[in-house]
């Protein structure tokens, strides 16, 4: 079992993107000791890991890298298979082919095992129900359910935190600004599906979402 001294430590699921970088700084505000956990699972762009590592270094957060290619290899999806043309929007009756089935359940399970080995109780993930493609494993009900299941699986008392769950992209920009890291998130993160840092390629679904949120936020920024 985890000891009391671990109650205020956190492990952040971290990719070096806008959302998880905002979560990393949110965690630094709320917890005494923070570690970042980054997964590789056959994504197209190896640069993601370099960017994640450098953001963590700048934040002075220990960076853990877990190579788990099985997450991407188990299914056909356009994030890990370069021969599949990426859906630009959500099909009416299904999920876009950027959906990696089971990904967040794998992430949370692996994260809990890593957290347990470090005596960490709090696990932070940047998933959100708002403004996204409606992936089922980004929903609040899923994360709460996974929290219960993983606690039962390991006889532990992990607490899963989802600070972005009800925020759209505009509100995520606002949170980064509140945390004093607007420029870090704007210029040093990578969200683009085509592997272009900061403002990105400008035309993939992820860049469009990010830019629309940024423009909406900048209109309200004092
Ligand atoms: Zn892009």
């Amino acid at each position: 079992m985890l000891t009391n001294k671990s109650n205020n430590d956190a492990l952040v699921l971290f990719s070096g993107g806008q959302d998880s970088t905002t979560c990393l700084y949110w965690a630094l505000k709320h917890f005494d000791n923070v570690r970042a956990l980054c997964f590789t699972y056959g994504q197209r762009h190896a640069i993601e890991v370099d960017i994640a590592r450098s953001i963590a270094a700048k934040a002075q957060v220990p960076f853990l890298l877990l190579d788990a290619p099985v997450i991407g290899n188990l299914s056909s999806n356009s994030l890990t298979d370069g021969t599949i043309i990426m859906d630009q929007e959500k099909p009416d009756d299904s999920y876009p082919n950027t959906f990696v089935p089971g990904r967040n359940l794998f992430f949370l399970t692996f994260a809990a095992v890593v957290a347990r080995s470090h005596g960490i109780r709090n696990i932070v993930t940047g998933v959100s129900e708002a403004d996204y493609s409606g992936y089922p494993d980004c929903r609040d009900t899923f994360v709460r359910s996974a929290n219960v299941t993983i606690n039962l699986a390991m006889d532990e008392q992990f607490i899963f935190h989802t600070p972005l769950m009800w925020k759209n992209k505009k509100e995520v920009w606002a949170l980064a600004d509140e945390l004093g890291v607007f420029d870090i998130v704007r210029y040093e993160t990578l969200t683009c599906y085509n592997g272009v840092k900061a403002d990105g390629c400008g035309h993939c679904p992820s860049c469009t979402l990010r830019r629309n949120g940024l423009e909406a936020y900048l209109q309200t920024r004092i």
Side-chain angles (χ1 to χ4, degrees), residues 192-194 200-204 207:
C192 172
Y193 283 146
N194 291 311
C201 73
H203 55 76
C204 76
C207 282

Side-chain angles (χ1 to χ4, degrees), residues 8-21:
N8 211 34
D9 291 356
L11 182 68
V12 180
L13 278 75
F14 184 61
S15 68
Q18 177 188 358
D19 295 340
S20 66
T21 300

Side-chain angles (χ1 to χ4, degrees), residues 4 8 37 43 45 92 121 163 194:
N4 286 336
N8 211 34
L37 175 63
Q43 305 99 310
H45 306 290
D92 287 340
R121 175 161 296 168
N194 291 311

Side-chain angles (χ1 to χ4, degrees), residues 19-165:
D19 295 340
S20 66
T21 300
T22 304
C23 284
L24 186 71
Y25 282 96
W26 178 88
L28 282 167
K29 183 179 175 186
H30 289 89
F31 299 100
D32 296 332
N33 295 294
V34 175
R35 290 174 188 264
L37 175 63
C38 180
F39 290 95
T40 52
Y41 56 97
Q43 305 99 310
R44 290 174 170 185
H45 306 290
I47 188 178
E48 284 183 22
V49 175
D50 294 335
I51 287 175
R53 193 192 303 276
S54 69
I55 294 170
K58 190 165 190 171
Q60 299 185 297
V61 167
F63 181 79
L64 310 168
L65 185 64
L66 189 60
D67 189 26
V70 67
I71 294 174
N73 293 344
L74 283 172
S75 66
S76 171
N77 69 82
S78 63
L79 283 195
T80 59
D81 185 344
T83 67
I84 300 175
I85 297 170
M86 191 172 285
D87 284 336
Q88 295 301 302
E89 48 193 52
K90 184 182 184 304
D92 287 340
D93 56 351
S94 64
Y95 297 104
N97 60 18
T98 49
F99 178 53
V100 182
R103 180 173 54 176
N104 282 334
L105 184 55
F106 287 122
F107 281 175
L108 289 168
T109 304
F110 291 147
V113 175
V114 171
R116 187 178 187 280
S117 72
H118 285 88
I120 295 172
R121 175 161 296 168
N122 298 284
I123 295 172
V124 182
T125 172
V127 298
S128 167
E129 278 203 18
D131 241 8
Y132 290 78
S133 300
Y135 298 148
D137 58 353
C138 289
R139 295 179 188 144
D140 189 55
T141 48
F142 159 70
V143 176
R144 288 167 183 264
S145 166
N147 197 161
V148 171
T149 297
I150 290 169
N151 283 354
L152 289 170
M154 299 184 205
D155 193 15
E156 295 289 358
Q157 298 294 319
F158 296 111
I159 303 168
F160 291 0
H161 300 266
T162 55
L164 311 185
M165 181 56 76

